[in-house]
Each structure stands twice: as C-alpha cells, then as structure tokens.
Amino acid sequence: MRRLVYPLLVAVCASFAACMGTGSAPGSSTVITAPPAASAPALLAANARMLPVAYEIVAEVRHVAETLLKADKLTVDDAENVQKQADNARAALDIARALMVSNPAAADAKLQATMSILNTLRGYLAAKEKG
Amino acid sequence: MLPTGTLVVLGLALSHMEQLTKLAGLIRRVVSGEAITTDELDQAIASDNAARLSLDRAIAEARAEAAADQAAAQRAAGGPTTAEG
C-alpha cells in the first residue's frame, strides 16, 4: 500500500508546488525553480531604501495641507506655499534618486536635507492643525 | 445629518489615516531591514503625483469659492462685480 501511495503523494505535492511556483515536494528529487528573475521587481540598493519613505512623506504633507484647507484651518495662500515647498522637496528627491548610483554621498546629503525640510513642513502643518 | 463640508473633511482625514498607515508600514520595513523594491518606489512617486493633483484641485476650488464670495459681497454692497485695474 505504502509503495503505491508514496509516489502518488510525491507527484501530487510536486504538481501543487509547481502550480504555486515555489518550494519543492517533500522527499522528491524534483527541483522546482522560482519564476524567472526578470519578472521579479528589482530591489533597491541599501542607500536608496529611504527614498520611498521620503516620497510618501511629501505626499502626506500635501494630503494634510488639503485637509486643513478644506477644514478652513489653512488659507489658500498658505496651501499654495505648502504646495511649492513640497514641489521643491520632490525636486530634491528626484535629484537624490538620480545621484544614488553615480554619487551616493551627495545623494545621501540631499536626502537628509530634504527630510529636514519635510519635518519642518510637517511641524508647520501640525501647528496649523492645533491653532 | 452632518453637513457636506464636514463629511468632505472626515473623508479626507480617513484617507489621510490610510496614507499614514501605509507610511508607517513602509518605515517599519525599512527599519527592520526588509527588502524594498523599485515597484514600491514607483508607487510612492505615483502617490505623490496623485496628492499633488488633488491639492492643486482643492486650491483652485478654494480660489473660485473665494472669488464667488467676494463677487457676492460686492453685489450686496452695490459695487462692481469684477476686479478692476
């Protein structure tokens, strides 16, 4: 009985693993390969890992400004000013992103400076929210 | 029934909370040393593009509203309804 069931189980496990695209069947010598590397998204380099966070913070700043504008806690001129500052931060991040490979030190400095500007902007908006 | 303006602000605040949750998750992953992909960078950039457009629209609407209020106030005062000079 075991002689019959075991190969069947191995075959079922192998086909299931093949459908899932990962892993290998227990006890099986079949090698299930992962999907081709070209289809997997590339990983960001260690020094670029903060970039998505910085872009999301710029988006968050704009979002807060919009909420405060609609709640009448921010004037139109102030909202426009925040938009301009966020644009400047975004431009700096774009430069940092472009420099990540060719000049990592300059890119890092740009990123740090931008994060500092974004913190100031967030502090300004937090004060408006309370006031 | 809440006024429409309040509902708009509440909706925006909820959307902002969603954005914050996403941001917190991303920060947690960066801090814990998890892999971050170029797709996630593209998504963050797209998120900022959308936020920029949305704020631009809100600014334009607020400007139009302020102009309409000003015109109404001038009409009520019997003055000119358009800016001169």
Side-chain angles (χ1 to χ4, degrees):
Chain A
M1 179 70 177
R2 195 177 168 184
R3 276 187 183 176
L4 281 173
V5 171
Y6 189 71
L8 188 64
L9 189 66
V10 167
V12 169
C13 287
S15 63
F16 180 73
C19 286
M20 298 297 287
T22 55
S24 61
S28 165
S29 59
T30 312
V31 177
I32 309 294
T33 54
S39 66
L43 298 182
L44 284 178
N47 62 339
R49 287 159 50 80
M50 272 305 284
L51 270 177
V53 172
Y55 278 105
E56 289 283 2
I57 291 174
V58 180
E60 192 236 339
V61 161
R62 298 193 209 266
H63 229 282
V64 173
E66 184 183 348
T67 308
L68 293 180
L69 176 66
K70 293 200 170 173
D72 288 330
K73 287 192 168 187
L74 198 66
T75 65
V76 181
D77 287 343
D78 284 345
E80 268 186 344
N81 191 34
V82 171
Q83 181 80 307
K84 278 178 195 158
Q85 298 297 324
D87 283 347
N88 291 340
R90 166 69 189 264
L93 288 178
D94 289 343
I95 292 170
R97 185 160 61 109
L99 288 173
M100 278 294 169
V101 176
S102 61
N103 193 344
D108 202 41
K110 200 88 181 160
L111 185 57
Q112 295 302 322
T114 310
M115 290 300 272
S116 171
I117 291 167
L118 288 171
N119 268 339
T120 308
L121 261 177
R122 292 185 72 211
Y124 168 76
L125 290 173
K128 286 281 179 182
E129 199 171 351
K130 285 175 190 161
Chain B
M1 182 77 181
L2 287 168
T4 311
T6 310
L7 285 174
V8 168
V9 172
L10 269 175
L12 272 171
L14 282 174
S15 162
H16 179 221
M17 277 174 70
E18 196 181 317
Q19 176 115 13
L20 276 180
T21 308
K22 200 168 111 186
L23 179 60
L26 193 58
I27 291 172
R28 196 174 54 238
R29 290 183 49 220
V30 168
V31 170
S32 67
E34 274 184 52
I36 308 290
T37 66
T38 50
D39 276 3
E40 284 167 296
L41 176 59
D42 291 342
Q43 279 169 25
I45 291 170
S47 176
D48 181 46
N49 289 342
R52 190 186 191 288
L53 283 177
S54 189
L55 179 55
D56 255 350
R57 255 197 314 270
I59 288 170
E61 279 169 16
R63 282 236 179 272
E65 206 174 300
D69 285 350
Q70 195 184 352
Q74 281 173 346
R75 268 198 306 275
T81 54
T82 53
E84 290 175 9

